[in-house]
Amino acid sequence: MDLLAYLQDPELVARFQRRCGLFLVEAPHHNQGKRIGNQARGQLRGHQDTNSNYKYKENGHAADVCGGPHYQVRNWPLHFLFLFSAGLGQEVFYITCLPCLHWNLDPFLCRRLVNVWTLVMYIGQVMKDILKLPRPGSPPVVKLETRVDAEYGLPSTHAMAATAIAFTFLLSAPSRIQLSQFQFEVGALIAATLSSLVCLSRLYTGMHSVLDVICGASISAALMLLTYPYWDTFDHFQLTSSASPVLAVTLLFFLSYTYPELDHYSTTRGDTTIILGSCAGCSVGYWVNQQLGQTFEPWGPLPVPLPTLTASGLALGVGRFLLGVVALVGTRQIVKTLSLWLLYSWYKVPGCDDDDARRRKEIEVPYKFVTYTSVGLVNSILVNRVFILFRLL
């Protein structure tokens, strides 16, 4: 228990930040404001919530009496490196960049990564809201992110996703692409480096304790180890079973709607719904492609040679990326607008910019699930056919 307490100590995170050149500069009356804030929270809720980062609301306004973060950066290269690394663990990054594997390399790899990513993220998000362990407090930690500050800490889903994506790709690629022993070893080094950077970035940004990060990476590794023998079996079921598309939509929507309830609003439910919706759309889309006999996977015996990087190939890849992102972002915007309009009309919500209404479960879950299911469908079914139309594939 002493070791667990030590690994969860926010001072350990603060020391890491200072070693990397990030220092907290306390604002005047900061401690006094913190005491007032704790008293206000107790009066509002009747108890102190275990997540000290949640800002309670009174009369619709956040009771943020401590002010924003004040810090000093003394090592700008490391600062930007860790901020960039933190971005590699965001859901938006995966939803935007995972399709690049589908468009430019092999839809099989994209499908495999989406499946594993969805599994580890759902388990990680649910564990957060069941365990309800707090993020590191500030002070002594510098907080560089605010969006997810109301979420609980353990496990770090950034660490889980980075570990799962990097090493699932490493394990899956050799069966699809010819890799020499040297290339595989380089790939292993890159996977370890990227996942480690994302893990360390969660300490640098002050969003997780050392224990959160270790548990996140360990849980992800354990899930991969337990499920690895069944990856090919699941892939066959996903592509060939007539029950696959129905099960993908109904089960993933059910998991979204029955996500654990909290006593305050948190972004975890919405983010989880986005992930599950994306997976549902991709799963149905890949099944449809299989039935149509056009999977866009590499021709010939596997593994195929690694594509040679040429100027024309790079230009086509950039063109596919830009057109694909436009298609996905456009789909997201159109379906989001239509689904919100329909839900607001159904539930008789006045106005179109009511954030409180949008956070209601009966509105947030359906609109996000439908929106990102549509994004997954467009990615897996439509985009490659548009590439053929424009002679980009």
Side-chain angles (χ1 to χ4, degrees):
M1 295 300 293
D2 289 341
L3 177 61
L4 295 181
Y6 172 73
L7 293 176
Q8 201 176 13
D9 186 357
E11 185 57 39
L12 193 60
V13 178
R15 286 206 299 269
F16 175 78
Q17 290 180 319
R18 292 193 291 269
R19 287 286 182 91
C20 295
L22 184 64
F23 292 82
L24 180 69
V25 179
E26 293 196 21
H29 310 299
H30 183 93
N31 293 329
Q32 180 182 357
K34 183 178 179 182
R35 288 193 297 271
I36 295 172
N38 288 339
Q39 294 170 4
R41 291 169 185 160
Q43 293 168 1
L44 287 169
R45 302 296 301 176
H47 69 281
Q48 177 73 29
D49 193 286
T50 55
N51 183 6
S52 60
N53 302 308
Y54 173 59
K55 299 177 178 59
Y56 291 103
K57 290 186 176 182
E58 185 176 23
N59 301 323
H61 298 286
D64 181 12
V65 295
C66 296
H70 300 270
Y71 59 89
Q72 181 183 45
V73 177
R74 299 181 187 176
N75 190 328
W76 287 102
L78 268 184
H79 181 74
F80 288 122
L81 173 65
F82 283 129
L83 291 186
F84 173 78
S85 301
L88 297 179
Q90 301 286 0
E91 286 82 3
V92 173
F93 169 80
Y94 291 120
I95 291 171
T96 305
C97 294
L98 282 181
C100 287
L101 291 176
H102 177 105
W103 304 332
N104 295 297
L105 191 58
D106 186 355
F108 169 88
L109 293 175
C110 179
R111 182 171 66 249
R112 174 66 57 80
L113 293 180
V114 168
N115 289 338
V116 175
W117 173 58
T118 302
L119 173 67
V120 300
M121 287 298 290
Y122 177 76
I123 290 176
Q125 297 280 66
V126 169
M127 285 184 67
K128 276 185 181 182
D129 288 342
I130 291 177
L131 296 175
K132 296 184 178 181
L133 295 177
R135 293 179 183 268
S138 177
V141 170
V142 179
K143 298 279 190 176
L144 295 183
E145 295 181 11
T146 57
R147 177 183 175 271
V148 296
D149 207 25
E151 294 182 9
Y152 293 103
L154 190 146
S156 167
T157 47
H158 276 68
M160 293 183 72
T163 302
I165 291 293
F167 287 97
T168 298
F169 182 84
L170 182 70
L171 293 173
S172 302
S175 66
R176 310 290 296 183
I177 304 168
Q178 293 179 10
L179 296 174
S180 67
Q181 182 65 26
F182 172 75
Q183 289 172 323
F184 182 82
E185 291 172 354
V186 170
L189 179 61
I190 292 173
T193 300
L194 289 178
S195 57
S196 297
L197 280 174
V198 173
C199 291
L200 291 174
S201 74
R202 305 316 290 159
L203 302 179
Y204 183 81
T205 55
M207 302 312 297
H208 284 287
S209 68
V210 175
L211 182 65
D212 298 344
V213 171
I214 292 175
C215 287
S218 301
I219 293 168
S220 188
L223 288 171
M224 291 174 61
L225 183 65
L226 291 172
T227 59
Y228 177 73
Y230 308 102
W231 286 359
D232 290 335
T233 302
F234 180 78
D235 192 67
H236 178 76
F237 171 83
Q238 188 176 31
L239 294 180
T240 61
S241 174
S242 58
S244 173
V246 177
L247 190 60
V249 174
T250 55
L251 175 61
L252 296 181
F253 181 76
F254 174 79
L255 293 176
S256 300
Y257 209 81
T258 57
Y259 188 85
E261 297 279 355
L262 296 176
D263 59 359
H264 65 272
Y265 178 78
S266 169
T267 54
T268 49
R269 183 182 64 201
D271 289 344
T272 305
T273 302
I274 288 172
I275 295 165
L276 295 176
S278 300
C279 182
C282 287
S283 184
V284 173
Y286 286 124
W287 181 87
V288 169
N289 287 341
Q290 183 74 18
Q291 309 314 305
L292 295 176
Q294 192 175 20
T295 62
F296 304 100
E297 294 184 8
W299 291 92
L302 296 171
V304 299
L306 189 67
T308 304
L309 184 62
T310 62
S312 60
L314 182 61
L316 287 173
V318 171
R320 287 192 290 265
F321 174 77
L322 294 176
L323 183 58
V325 168
V326 168
L328 298 188
V329 172
T331 300
R332 174 188 176 275
Q333 193 60 37
I334 292 170
V335 178
K336 175 183 175 181
T337 301
L338 288 175
S339 59
L340 279 175
W341 179 78
L342 288 172
L343 288 165
Y344 282 177
S345 299
W346 179 264
Y347 288 105
K348 296 180 173 56
V349 176
C352 298
D353 297 319
D354 189 337
D355 288 338
D356 290 333
R358 190 176 298 188
R359 291 174 174 179
R360 289 162 51 184
K361 181 173 76 171
E362 63 271 24
I363 292 178
E364 181 181 50
V365 172
Y367 103 76
K368 286 191 174 180
F369 191 85
V370 169
T371 297
Y372 284 92
T373 297
S374 302
V375 170
L377 285 168
V378 169
N379 167 63
S380 52
I381 297 177
L382 185 61
V383 173
N384 271 17
R385 290 172 170 84
V386 173
F387 291 159
I388 294 173
L389 185 65
F390 284 92
R391 298 183 178 182
L392 292 172
L393 193 64

